[in-house]
Amino acid sequence: MNDSIKQKAGRIRLVLTDIDGVWTDTGVYYAESGELLKRFSIRDGMGVERLRERADVETGIVSGENSGAVIKRAEKLGITEVHLSIRDKVAVLDEIAKRRGLGPEEIAFIGDDTNDLAVMQAVGLAACPADAIASVKSAADYICENRGGHGAFRDFAEFIISSKIGEVQ
């Protein structure tokens, strides 16, 4: 891994994440009444906890979707920055950074599709799951070994923890 990418990761204080395609495998179960289920990896949740406890890094969600399942998952993990139905992710990034007194170099984003490209280019460290689309992989500083919904967020979290404090899981 490139030393400059590790240096970028060492400055991170907040990780923002898309959900569908990062925390999920892009699949969703629909019933006549609408969205029914999303599958989340428990390991990604542990990544949120480890970032907070081991590296003093918080996590926030910025997603174009609006899902009750995402709200419940965020509540369980103690994630307070939850922004759903977002079309302009850069505007939300700017608002969060200003409110929290963070510079772009202190914020990371992990996404998987074209609607994540602009925000990935606006942060200090950009990542994507192994199965992200090609243009997102090209924009990422860090490409996770794992696919979306199968521990990609945890992979990224461990990279940041290792870069900040030298701890390897």
Side-chain angles (χ1 to χ4, degrees):
M1 176 60 53
N2 183 323
D3 281 342
S4 69
I5 304 301
K6 288 182 181 179
Q7 289 173 349
K8 285 182 175 188
R11 291 190 286 270
I12 298 305
R13 295 177 49 203
L14 174 66
V15 177
L16 298 176
T17 179
D18 182 38
I19 292 294
D20 293 324
V22 176
W23 287 45
T24 74
D25 61 4
T26 72
V28 64
Y29 295 92
Y30 271 91
E32 195 172 302
S33 60
E35 182 182 287
L36 192 59
L37 298 170
K38 288 182 186 279
R39 179 195 163 281
F40 295 95
S41 169
I42 295 300
R43 289 189 179 138
D44 288 338
M46 180 59 73
V48 171
E49 292 179 22
R50 285 181 49 80
L51 277 170
R52 185 181 299 129
E53 294 169 9
R54 305 295 300 154
D56 196 29
V57 173
E58 288 297 321
T59 302
I61 296 169
V62 182
S63 176
E65 296 298 319
N66 187 0
S67 168
V70 173
I71 293 168
K72 289 293 186 193
R73 189 73 180 125
E75 286 173 359
K76 179 167 177 63
L77 295 172
I79 298 172
T80 57
E81 290 285 354
V82 180
H83 306 270
L84 305 178
S85 298
I86 302 302
R87 295 294 167 233
D88 186 349
K89 293 183 180 187
V90 174
V92 172
L93 165 70
D94 292 344
E95 183 274 323
I96 293 169
K98 183 177 179 181
R99 182 170 30 82
R100 288 181 168 250
L102 298 172
E105 71 282 355
E106 297 173 296
I107 302 173
F109 187 88
I110 179 169
D112 72 302
D113 213 328
T114 55
N115 61 330
D116 298 316
L117 283 169
V119 71
M120 289 174 70
Q121 294 165 348
V123 296
L125 181 66
C128 68
D131 60 341
I133 65 166
S135 61
V136 170
K137 285 182 177 181
S138 294
D141 297 304
Y142 183 85
I143 300 173
C144 300
E145 292 182 20
N146 297 315
R147 296 182 335 263
H150 296 276
F153 184 86
R154 174 69 177 272
D155 177 345
F156 189 42
E158 294 299 334
F159 172 69
I160 292 169
I161 293 166
S162 173
S163 297
K164 288 181 78 69
I165 65 171
E167 177 182 307
V168 177
Q169 175 215 1

